[in-house]
Amino acid sequence: DAGVIQSPRHEVTEMGQEVTLRCKPISGHNSLFWYRQTMMRGLELLIYFNNNVPIDDSGMPEDRFSAKMPNASFSTLKIQPSEPRDSAVYFCASSLSGSLGEKLFFGSGTQLSVL
Amino acid sequence: AQSVTQLDSQVPVFEEAPVELRCNYSSSVSVYLFWYVQYPNQGLQLLLKYLSGSTLVKGINGFEAEFNKSQTSFHLRKPSVHISDTAEYFCAVSENSGYALNFGKGTSLLVTP
C-alpha cells in the first residue's frame, strides 16, 4: 500500500495566486482530514470528510479556503487568493471509517510558502 | 472544550538514557488519548493510544504511556532511547465525537551519542 499521497511536496507562490493542494487517501478508507501545521498554532484540523461528504469544516480559516472530495480517491484543498500567513505545512490524513479512536494515516505533507 | 498541553517544547537526552515526554489535557468528558510521532519531512505516525481498560499502554518502538485520570495526564516514556528516536512527538485528545483530534504543539526529542 502506497499510503496517503500528497502533491506537490513543496509549493512556492506569490501572494494573490491560487494554490491547489492534492491528496489521494488510502484505498478503502472512508474518512479524510486536512490539517495545517505551523510553529505558532501547531496542528489544526481544517476539514473532515466522510464518504466524500464534508462533515465538519469549522476549522477552515476563511472563505479563501475551500476543499472538495469529488470521489473516494481524491481530494483538493484550494486557497484563493493566497496570503503570506497561509505559509505552513498542510497534511492530509485518512482513516478506515472515522469512528471513535481510530488510527489516522498521514501523508508526507505539502510545504507551502507564500511570498 | 478540550485542550492539550505538552509542557516541554524540546527534550535533549543521551542515547540509552530513559526519557519521559509530558502531556496534560483538559476536558469535561471522557477522552481518548494518543501519541503520534513525526520524523523529519514525514507525516505523523501513531505510536500508541488509550481508549479504555488498562491505564498502561504499550506502543511501537518500545514506547509506553500511562493514563492518569486524576492528574489528567498521559505521559510518554521509553526506558532506553536510540538515536533513531529523534523526532517530534505529539500528544492528541479526542472527545465524544471521535474524529476531531486535538493535538498538542509537540515536543522535539533530540537523542545524542
Side-chain angles (χ1 to χ4, degrees), chain B residues 9-104:
Chain B
S9 59
Q10 293 183 355
V11 174
V13 64
F14 289 112
E15 191 175 19
E16 297 183 6
V19 70
E20 178 180 83
L21 307 183
R22 296 180 292 171
C23 173
N24 288 87
Y25 67 93
S26 65
S27 175
S28 58
V29 299
S30 296
V31 296
Y32 301 103
L33 298 156
F34 307 79
W35 276 98
Y36 279 79
V37 60
Q38 183 181 27
Y39 298 104
N41 300 314
Q42 295 185 26
L44 282 71
Q45 302 172 34
L46 181 67
L47 266 181
L48 49 78
K49 64 181 178 181
Y50 171 80
L51 303 183
S52 65
S54 173
T55 56
L56 183 63
V57 181
K58 294 190 183 298
I60 61 172
N61 301 339
F63 283 93
E64 63 180 31
E66 185 158 20
F67 170 55
N68 188 319
K69 188 175 182 179
S70 63
Q71 297 186 3
T72 60
S73 68
F74 191 55
H75 300 333
L76 181 70
R77 303 186 186 97
K78 186 169 183 178
S80 175
V81 294
H82 302 289
I83 300 287
S84 58
D85 292 323
T86 294
E88 192 85 13
Y89 291 80
F90 293 90
C91 181
V93 173
S94 70
E95 288 183 348
N96 297 346
S97 59
Y99 67 83
L101 271 185
N102 189 14
F103 285 89

Side-chain angles (χ1 to χ4, degrees), chain A residues 19-34:
Chain A
V19 174
T20 300
L21 311 181
R22 297 173 177 80
C23 174
K24 177 179 168 54
I26 291 174
S27 177
H29 281 193
N30 294 332
S31 295
L32 185 140
F33 307 78
W34 282 99

Side-chain angles (χ1 to χ4, degrees), chain A residues 6-13 19-22 34-39 79 84 86-92 107-114, chain B residues 38 40-42:
Chain A
Q6 291 186 246
S7 64
R9 285 299 305 274
H10 303 275
E11 177 79 37
V12 181
T13 190
V19 174
T20 300
L21 311 181
R22 297 173 177 80
W34 282 99
Y35 281 88
R36 178 172 66 176
Q37 185 180 35
T38 61
M39 291 290 291
I79 308 172
D86 301 331
S87 297
V89 181
Y90 290 81
F91 287 102
C92 176
S108 297
T110 294
Q111 173 81 58
L112 174 64
S113 298
V114 183
Chain B
Q38 183 181 27
N41 300 314
Q42 295 185 26

